[in-house]
Amino acid sequence: MSIQKKEFKKITTHVLLEMKQKGEKISMLTAYDFSMAKLVDQAGIDVILVGDSASNVMAGHETTLPITLDQMIYHASSVVRGIDRALVVVDLPFGSYQGNSKEALASTIRIMKESGAHAVKMEGGEEIIESIKRILTAGVPVMGHLGLTPQSIYKFGTYTVRATEDEEAEKLIHDSKLLQEAGCFALVLEKIPSKLAKRVAENLTIPVIGIGAGSDVDGQVLVLHDMLGINTEFKPRFLRKYADLHGIITAAVQHYVSDVKSRDFPNEKEQY
Ligand code: KIV
């Protein structure tokens, strides 16, 4: 029996670093289940984020706060079963890492052991640095996340652009350096002015991946359901819709309902 040689290079944290060094942009999308992860991986995405946005798009919650560690592990293990090439990064959910580095490591170990994912992502800078360092000592790659950090929505009060004032921008720059020094392999910047994102990306050697952070960063990330046009209510300026799956799925379901009602489905050939 011959073993088929894989024609693709698996994406690792080192590959992402090389991509930044070569000036090759990194593509990242969320996925939360096996079927979508398989499609996204086969279409050539570099990084799949099992985002805690699953709380919004999969479970219908208003914020990302309610999703649990067990639920994140369920989504992550489904995604891992669907991929061959992409790097899979999993969000540590709200309440599983803040303020207690031992708990942060325990949550991470559960994610890594039970899902088979490759890295974790955490929201915040200086205030969570001890947790990040402890996780890194266990050999787990960590992706940082600064700017709009949805787990702190009740502190911010709104989902508007962050770090438009000097003080917050300086803190973000300071935090980005701390995260790199601590050993994070990449950083997500969410909804900040593009000039600030450019400055951070130029200052850091690790890849900076933006969402609503302009084009002068090392890669882009979007929520899959938003860019596929499944969710029609969410229309921020940074979102480009690459499909109208809301329209396509609605039409297909309406067609099916009509075929069942009219007895057109199933026909002679569609039965035993
Ligand atoms: O949970 C998520 O989908 C995210 C992205 C918006 C970066 O954190």
Side-chain angles (χ1 to χ4, degrees):
M1 196 176 78
S2 70
I3 296 171
Q4 292 258 312
K5 207 171 164 213
K6 296 204 173 118
E7 283 162 28
F8 53 80
K9 188 173 179 182
K10 268 188 180 287
I11 303 293
T12 63
T13 57
H14 298 280
V15 171
L16 298 181
L17 187 61
E18 281 168 18
M19 287 170 79
K20 170 153 182 156
Q21 287 159 357
K22 286 190 272 182
E24 187 186 335
K25 296 280 186 185
I26 296 163
S27 60
M28 172 161 144
L29 280 173
T30 64
Y32 318 100
D33 67 280
F34 169 80
S35 304
M36 284 292 195
K38 195 167 178 168
L39 273 170
V40 168
D41 185 62
Q42 289 179 352
I45 204 76
D46 297 316
V47 184
I48 294 184
L49 172 66
V50 184
D52 58 358
S53 50
S55 181
N56 310 112
V57 294
M58 301 301 285
H61 292 296
E62 213 170 290
T63 72
T64 57
L65 276 65
I67 199 159
T68 64
L69 185 58
D70 283 339
Q71 287 164 343
M72 289 303 295
I73 291 169
Y74 166 77
H75 287 297
S77 55
S78 308
V79 165
V80 168
R81 285 192 288 275
I83 61 108
D84 283 322
R85 175 181 174 273
L87 183 87
V88 178
V89 181
V90 183
D91 264 332
L92 277 176
F94 176 69
S96 72
Y97 63 99
Q98 293 94 340
N100 183 336
S101 65
K102 281 193 184 157
E103 194 180 342
L105 179 58
S107 304
T108 302
I109 287 175
R110 278 203 61 205
I111 288 180
M112 301 302 282
K113 267 189 187 288
E114 295 177 38
S115 77
H118 311 129
V120 294
K121 176 165 82 59
M122 298 160 76
E123 296 183 6
E126 194 163 6
E127 54 291 343
I128 59 157
I129 208 75
E130 287 316 311
S131 294
I132 291 179
K133 285 183 180 162
R134 196 181 274 261
I135 292 167
L136 287 164
T137 59
V140 178
V142 176
M143 178 180 269
H145 184 158
L146 297 173
L148 177 63
T149 47
Q151 290 180 12
S152 309
I153 185 58
Y154 292 119
K155 183 174 113 190
F156 298 145
T158 73
Y159 287 100
T160 51
V161 185
R162 303 304 314 172
T164 50
E165 303 294 331
D166 286 351
E167 196 181 334
E168 196 180 340
E170 287 311 319
K171 173 162 167 39
L172 190 144
I173 290 167
H174 168 78
D175 281 344
S176 69
K177 286 185 196 147
L178 273 186
L179 293 178
Q180 171 166 288
E181 278 160 24
C184 286
F185 74 93
L187 172 65
V188 166
L189 290 181
E190 181 165 352
K191 225 169 171 189
I192 62 167
S194 54
K195 274 192 186 154
L196 175 61
K198 179 176 193 273
R199 193 168 151 200
V200 174
E202 282 171 355
N203 281 343
L204 298 188
T205 54
I206 58 170
V208 173
I209 300 174
I211 173 164
S215 56
D216 293 318
V217 286
D218 307 304
Q220 298 293 330
V221 55
L222 286 175
V223 170
L224 185 66
H225 290 60
D226 298 338
M227 62 82 78
L228 290 179
I230 294 177
N231 174 5
T232 52
E233 287 119 58
F234 186 59
K235 299 178 193 149
R237 188 205 293 202
F238 68 76
L239 176 62
R240 186 179 292 181
K241 293 206 176 177
Y242 285 85
D244 171 25
L245 286 201
H246 182 271
I248 291 173
I249 293 172
T250 304
V253 173
Q254 284 171 341
H255 196 165
Y256 168 75
V257 170
S258 155
D259 284 356
V260 170
K261 302 275 180 197
S262 67
R263 296 162 206 261
D264 181 80
F265 177 80
N267 65 23
E268 283 293 310
K269 288 186 197 151
E270 290 163 331
Q271 47 192 299
Y272 301 98

